[in-house]
């Protein structure tokens, strides 16, 4: 880069450009002239070096201020007291910029990173199943529940270090939480193998939690089951999950209801269904029959000629709806009860009935085949 080049003009920004504008301009040009996109192009390589040198100067507030005052900072932008030419570029390019190129291109901020500190984070949510009876699901109840959870270690207060000690800055990554591997200007960053990305290590672990900062315990709750829950309903207990990290809020506890089946009622969404056996005579002649409800018995009218599987319902006699909008219905499915064995008297009665009806319900099927 010629000594007369101005870093602002190299990046194509005005002197009053903000740090964000400078960073945006640098990223755009660095992508355009990166050696990987221009293999063997000497001009692109030289331009790439100019861009990085200009960014190195303007991204440092002290260097930029000195340059704006007219004081020499680096190589081709002057040879003042703060630095000299870089032997790698033949000018003032800061070789360290190359090791940060990928970081700058993909969201890095450049420069030295501060040691990581534990970040506040929300605790994990928990899920637990709770077995309840059919009556509890319909009427609601308060049911005890025991859930295994992680709690902050009472001995070390969650630090993981023996009382009287504390975690130290990781000597392997210097507290950055990452390691870089590679050659020349290309490097790959990954979590530090010593501290696993936390930036700190525990030399003397807590004897209670062995350095994890947490202990397992069983937490007991009284869960309020609202009327009308189904098998598989989810009840959220806010703030009853795992504790947060670094002072963050706790997670939630989700309780999944498992309802013991009723010998009479079957849940069908927000309604109930009951299978009601009726006799052949009741199906033919009709009549009034008693059916079970959640609050006792009621009478239903069976219409004459009722078919097997016919459904009749009682509105509003079902379980409460979870949204509070009234109650569901009870559906009664009539099943014709046909005796497996007949007495002689019954057989004669059936023969007489067959003669009286004197019809073939399958006649229509065969007629349809002739059409």
């Amino acid at each position: 880069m010629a000594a007369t080049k101005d870093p602002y003009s190299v990046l194509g920004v005005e002197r009053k450009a903000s740090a964000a504008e400078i960073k945006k301009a640098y990223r755009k040009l660095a992508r355009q002239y990166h050696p990987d996109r221009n293999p063997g192009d000497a001009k692109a390589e030289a331009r790439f070096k100019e861009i990085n040198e200009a960014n190195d100067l303007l991204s440092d507030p002290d260097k930029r201020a000195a340059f704006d005052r007219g004081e020499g900072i680096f190589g081709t932008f002057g040879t003042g007291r703060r630095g000299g030419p870089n032997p790698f570029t033949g000018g003032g390019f800061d070789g360290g910029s190359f090791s940060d190129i990928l970081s700058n291109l993909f969201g890095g901020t450049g420069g030295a990173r501060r040691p990581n500190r534990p970040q506040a984070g929300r605790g994990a949510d928990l899920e637990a199943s709770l077995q309840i009876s059919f009556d509890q699901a319909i009427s609601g109840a308060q049911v005890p529940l025991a859930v295994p959870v992680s709690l902050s270690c009472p001995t070390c207060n969650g630090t993981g270090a023996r009382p009287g000690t504390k975690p130290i800055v990781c000597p392997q990554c210097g507290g950055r939480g990452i390691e870089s591997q590679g050659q020349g200007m290309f490097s790959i960053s990954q979590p530090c193998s010593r501290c696993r990305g936390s930036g700190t290590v525990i030399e003397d672990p807590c004897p209670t939690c062995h350095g994890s900062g947490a202990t397992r315990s069983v937490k007991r709750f009284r869960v309020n089951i609202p009327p009308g829950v189904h098998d598989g309903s989810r009840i959220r207990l806010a703030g009853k999950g795992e504790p947060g990290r670094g002072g963050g809020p706790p997670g939630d506890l989700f309780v999944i209801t498992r309802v013991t089946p009723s010998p009479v009622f079957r849940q069908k969404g927000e309604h109930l269904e009951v299978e009601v056996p009726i006799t052949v005579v009741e199906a033919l002649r009709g009549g009034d029959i008693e059916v079970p409800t959640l609050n006792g018995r009621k009478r239903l009218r069976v219409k004459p000629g009722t078919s097997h599987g016919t459904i009749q319902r009682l509105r509003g006699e079902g379980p409460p709806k979870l949204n509070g909008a009234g109650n569901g219905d009870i559906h009664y499915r009539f099943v014709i009860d046909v005796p497996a064995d007949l007495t002689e008297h019954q057989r004669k009665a059936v023969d007489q009935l067959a003669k009286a009806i004197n019809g073939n319900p399958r006649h229509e099927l065969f007629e349809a085949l002739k059409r």
Side-chain angles (χ1 to χ4, degrees), residues 109-117 169 173-177 198-199:
T109 57
R113 292 182 56 180
R114 297 180 179 178
N116 288 354
R117 293 184 175 86
V169 174
C173 66
R176 296 188 307 147
S198 67

Side-chain angles (χ1 to χ4, degrees), residues 79-90:
T79 54
R81 60 181 180 273
R82 294 188 61 180
N86 187 301
F88 179 75
T89 62

Side-chain angles (χ1 to χ4, degrees), residues 19 21 88-89 101 128 173 175 179 182-184 188 193 202 213 242 269 280 293 300 305 336 350 369:
E21 291 171 333
F88 179 75
T89 62
I101 287 173
C173 66
E179 295 177 300
Q183 294 181 345
I188 298 176
S193 58
I202 299 172
E242 296 279 12
V280 174
T293 69
L300 272 185
I336 300 176
V350 171
L369 290 175

Side-chain angles (χ1 to χ4, degrees), residues 66 186 314:
F186 301 104
L314 287 178

